[in-house]
Amino acid sequence: MKTRVLIVDDEPTARRGIRSYLAEHDGIELVGEATNGINAVEQINEFHPDIVFFDVQMPDLDGFGVIENVEPVNGPAPIYIYVTAYDVHAIRAFAVHAVDYLLKPYDKERFARALVHAREVLEQRREANRDLEPLLRSLRSLRMLERFVVKDNKRFFCSRF
């Protein structure tokens, strides 16, 4: 299964760098690129990427505003990796559950570590979903519950029975 990636940065050079580093890894599908926060929210809502690489400071809406404005969907939230020139945002990035924080300028080895880590987290989520599916099927068969709710970061997922 391919890892669906969205790149969000207002700087063309930064987007080009991420694209070139991603091209060195197998199993990556680039689903889009956004140049500002509003466009990022639209593309996340439309394409449902697995991983989003994005800058903190962008026109219209910063990286934190992007996360706050993404619509909840029936599925896991994207894995966020901040790519920025400012280290002052690192604590806040991890507070909103970013998986990594790439400080510009970074090299391809550092980028690769961030991507590998993100893909490991993604696979852990997929395994957890596979483990939960038999439980959900058995709960549906009991007809004791009307719905089953799971919270993932700031999103809630509801399974109706």
Side-chain angles (χ1 to χ4, degrees), residues 1 4 13 16 32 42 45 50 57 65 82 116 153 155:
M1 174 179 273
R4 298 168 45 80
T13 306
R16 188 170 37 253
E42 292 167 350
N45 289 337
D50 297 313
Q57 294 184 333
Y82 281 91
V116 165
N153 292 333
R155 296 175 179 212

Side-chain angles (χ1 to χ4, degrees), residues 86-126:
Y86 306 98
D87 62 356
V88 298
H89 303 292
I91 292 172
R92 187 171 176 204
F94 290 111
V96 295
H97 307 288
V99 169
D100 213 324
Y101 194 92
L102 293 173
L103 193 58
K104 296 175 186 176
Y106 52 88
D107 58 22
K108 71 172 65 176
E109 289 78 21
R110 177 65 183 96
F111 181 88
R113 284 195 312 272
L115 181 60
V116 165
H117 181 225
R119 291 174 101 176
E120 287 170 351
V121 171
L122 183 62
E123 184 55 32
Q124 289 169 356
R125 284 184 182 179
R126 288 178 177 155

Side-chain angles (χ1 to χ4, degrees), residues 135-136 138-149 159-161:
L135 171 63
L136 291 174
S138 68
L139 290 173
R140 283 186 191 111
S141 70
L142 294 174
R143 298 279 184 209
M144 293 173 60
L145 297 176
E146 190 175 302
R147 62 185 171 170
F148 184 72
V149 179
S159 178
R160 296 196 184 275
F161 293 101

